[in-house]
Amino acid sequence: MYTQAMDQPNSPQDGLRSVPGASDSRQTEFDARMDSDRKIEPQDWMPEAYRKTLVRQISQHAHSEIIGMQPEGNWISRAPSLKRKAILLAKVQDEGGHGLYLYSAAETLGVSRDALLDALHAGKAKYSSIFNYPTLTWADVGVIGWLVHGAAIMNQVPICRCSYGPYARAMIRICKEESFHQRQGYESLMTQMKGTPAQREMVQDAVDRWYWPVLAMFGPPDADSPNSAQGMRWGIKRISNDELRQKFVDATVPQAAILGVTLPDPDLKWNEARGHHDYGAIDWDDFWAVVNGNGPCNKERLATRVKAHEDGQWVRDAALAYARKQQARALREAA
Ligand code: FAQ
């Protein structure tokens, strides 16, 4: 449903890979590798700014997956049936797994997981704006599956072609699991829409609350996106924020019609000349307020994460004590 061709042409700016000022043979080899669409691997030389950009994006992505366990995690104990509970448990565990693959991918760039977690827990690192909104009803869980994961897939399939090998490879598996997450959400909503009028109202209410924050999730408009141009030149980003947002709107409109819900945008209409849907203005002030820590649940999400980390200290202590014991035994046996 969201699959995008892996052979999409790259940006017209391709070839402009070099960082101004860097002109040694290693830079030439790096540029050549990118121009021929070969991956950069951890042992390869890379410009420092490329490494930093990847650490920034991959760690923000990892933090999003980990914080993103919370909105739906809140519903595991309240799922309406054993089947729904099992599905939700599996899905939330997948998100934890995605976070771990991504932290591992970031670590291949020479940054420690502890440093990344410290930045998150100190409120210095970003994670996706979307996880700072509350899940008020069971329908929210379905809408997160349908819309939030739908948007995540739209954004993440192109990252399977990212120029950095470990990130690209992690994304292939993550996207497969994201498809399951999206499908289970849509299927749950389908079931609720065949239920009572109150259930249908609950679904519509959840769509009304999540739709606009999901559109903002793709990031600021291209003209206001400071990282896009260089990210595209380096083959980290393959499709721009606005293009992905447009693809998402175009994919979502027919799905909403099949589901029987109304998307809360009076300006949404098919534009024959463009071959796309026009859509209304996004509230970017609200988006930046949320990104800057002032959304409805930012403080709660961070506090829950910090508490979970602190509560897990004994596990890390035990693992380290065990590793030390094993090491001491190995040394004794070698002596
Ligand atoms: N929230 O110049 P750009 C998921 C920041 S995972 C917060 O356009 P860029 C799965 C951006 O970091 C969702 N901040 O930046 C799931 C930058 O700040 P910085 C996460 C945002 O990097 C589902 C500044 O604004 N996905 O959903 C957001 O070129 C359900 C300027 O922006 C990824 O991370 C935002 N929405 O493009 C899990 C995918 N948007 O760092 C559980 C990988 C922008 O300069 C449950 N990331 N900002 O201080 C990307 O594709 C890109 O990093 C973008 C942003 C597209 C997110």
Side-chain angles (χ1 to χ4, degrees), residues 141-203:
V141 172
V143 169
I144 290 178
W146 174 38
L147 295 180
V148 176
H149 285 282
I153 297 169
M154 196 58 91
N155 165 271
Q156 290 173 16
V157 167
I159 306 176
C160 298
R161 292 187 298 117
C162 165
S163 58
Y164 188 59
Y167 192 24
R169 289 188 289 274
M171 290 316 302
I172 292 172
R173 174 159 179 186
I174 289 175
C175 284
K176 286 184 182 159
E177 292 175 352
E178 293 291 3
S179 294
F180 150 59
H181 299 168
Q182 194 273 349
R183 290 297 174 115
Q184 65 79 36
Y186 195 70
E187 191 269 341
S188 169
L189 293 177
M190 274 292 198
T191 305
Q192 291 172 60
M193 289 302 284
K194 287 181 194 143
T196 63
Q199 283 175 304
R200 284 193 285 280
E201 267 171 41
M202 192 169 77
V203 173

Side-chain angles (χ1 to χ4, degrees), residues 122-142:
K124 291 183 190 152
K126 288 194 172 73
Y127 60 87
S128 183
S129 49
I130 198 68
F131 303 119
N132 293 305
Y133 294 88
T135 38
L136 302 180
T137 69
W138 173 250
D140 289 38
V141 172

